[in-house]
Amino acid sequence: MSALPAVRLRTGRDGPPRGRHPWLFSGSLESPDTDLAPGTAVDVVDSNGAFVARGLWNPHSQIRVRLYDWRPDGALDDEFWRKGIAAAVAHRRDADLLAPDGGCRLVFSEGDGLSGLTVDRYARTLAVQFTSLALWERREVLLDALRRELSDAPGVDGAVLRTARGIREEEGLDISDGPLFGRVPDGPLEIVEGGVRYGVDLRTGQKTGAYLDQRDTRQAVAPWGAGRSVADLCCYTGGFSLHLARAGAHSIRSVDVSAGALERAEDNARRNGLDGWLADGRWTLERSDAFRWLEARREEGVRFGMIVLDPPTFARSSRGVGQALKGYARLNALAVDCLEPDGILVTCSCTGRVSAEQFLEVIAGVERSSRRRIRVIGRLLQPADHPVSPTCPETAYLKCVVCRVGS
């Protein structure tokens, strides 16, 4: 018999937790306003008192309990967290993703069974995000486990805390970004991805500094841009653009709403010996909202041989899915209007609440409304360091569809 306090589910609400989905919201609980301290380990039981799962309690969060263990005899002790970190790092090592000068996601929250913890590795420095108050309270054992698992070559010099937007309020976290241990670079550090060099600013860059989830996609789609005029929308620091330039694109126009991101994209161009592209106008960096920029190009009658769309998430909850789908439809329709016949559209969605099937239906809708023949020639998902939990569909968040657009 467990000595942990029990949190009881409402009648008929045991399906998702028994199915090993890791989030329990307040509406699923019979008595959500318990006096338990935030971070307390609890047993979740069904309406008859039978054990369902074990997790960590947080009365401040919409996710009242994050579930981690479905074994009645399990324990959320220090050894449990050490084993979780060890398994996550071993997977990346087995996948040969720990190159000394590379970047990869070491811990992918629910995808690694560690809901509320994300760790990205940039060469010898870690960027850490806690989206769970309970795991923040267990940070010492988690960080110690990371140091231990990475003690072999290439090793790690330090770690910095990066907090996701709004998470302090959502989780009741009182934390500030800054070094967690060791030495952290004051300015951008450099990583290499498929022969391309990136400067990554771990203190001010979006997310943890870079978008590692598009690593495979950037390299896979680059050959399609050879000889084509390319528009790279929501380009951030030029990830797709750099690979497209190396693959022989005729010209590139990179667009982002962030002036800081464009400054880093210009720095990345120089890191890769592409100063000449900037000087002679083959590669231009333009600050604009993607929708307005495409509308202007459509009015001008400008057409491209390839357009890349990699916007930020359009919905953070299920309530926003309808508007997100409308946004994707409008953005992709504008892009198709700006493509030459036989042009290539690379369109991405990182909205976890939008399924791959829904996103493909958006493309189908654009074909119908534009009356242009669209054929999907590639479908790409997130890489191996962003593993998908089949019991948590939200982890399968990244979709990339490559299309050939006819006349």
Side-chain angles (χ1 to χ4, degrees), residues 285-305:
L285 303 169
E286 305 173 44
R287 186 182 183 187
S288 177
D289 168 82
F291 291 91
R292 288 194 291 268
W293 191 88
L294 284 170
E295 287 171 347
R297 303 295 81 73
R298 183 178 63 181
E299 291 303 311
E300 295 169 356
V302 176
R303 299 293 180 263
F304 299 90

Side-chain angles (χ1 to χ4, degrees), residues 96-103 121-125 153-155 190-192:
D96 196 24
L97 293 172
L98 299 184
D101 57 358
R121 174 183 168 273
Y122 297 101
R124 296 179 60 89
T125 305
E190 186 173 276
I191 63 171
V192 179

Side-chain angles (χ1 to χ4, degrees), residues 330-352:
R330 180 177 166 226
L331 185 63
N332 282 274
L334 284 168
V336 165
D337 286 346
C338 294
L339 272 173
E340 300 170 350
D342 204 35
I344 300 295
L345 173 65
V346 179
T347 180
C348 307
S349 166
C350 63
T351 304

Side-chain angles (χ1 to χ4, degrees), residues 4 38 41 44 54 73 81 99 170 287 337 344:
L4 295 178
V44 175
R54 186 159 290 126
D73 58 347
W81 306 113
E170 292 175 13
R287 186 182 183 187
D337 286 346
I344 300 295

Side-chain angles (χ1 to χ4, degrees), residues 210-281:
Y211 289 93
L212 298 173
D213 52 3
Q214 291 283 34
R215 177 183 60 248
D216 292 354
T217 303
R218 286 188 284 259
Q219 297 176 67
V221 305
W224 289 106
R228 296 178 183 268
S229 60
V230 179
D232 181 9
L233 282 299
C234 306
C235 69
Y236 190 43
T237 60
F240 279 99
S241 297
L242 290 162
H243 283 281
L244 287 160
R246 284 173 55 91
H250 176 268
S251 62
I252 302 172
R253 296 178 71 172
S254 301
V255 181
D256 201 277
V257 74
S258 167
L262 293 173
E263 289 175 4
R264 290 190 289 275
E266 184 174 359
D267 175 68
N268 284 335
R270 296 195 170 95
R271 288 175 187 269
N272 289 275
L274 297 171
D275 309 57
W277 283 60
L278 297 173
D280 63 18

Side-chain angles (χ1 to χ4, degrees), residues 66-136:
R66 292 178 186 264
L67 303 178
Y68 299 95
D69 200 350
W70 282 260
R71 302 169 302 167
D73 58 347
L76 301 183
D77 54 13
D78 289 356
E79 187 61 20
F80 178 89
W81 306 113
R82 292 189 189 104
K83 287 181 177 179
I85 294 292
V89 175
H91 164 60
R92 278 71 180 178
R93 187 171 283 118
D94 290 346
D96 196 24
L97 293 172
L98 299 184
D101 57 358
C104 82
R105 177 148 291 182
L106 280 177
V107 179
F108 180 44
S109 197
E110 290 81 14
D112 283 300
L114 294 168
S115 178
L117 176 65
T118 298
V119 183
D120 286 339
R121 174 183 168 273
Y122 297 101
R124 296 179 60 89
T125 305
L126 305 182
V128 183
Q129 283 189 337
F130 286 93
T131 53
S132 158
L133 180 150
L135 289 198
W136 170 251

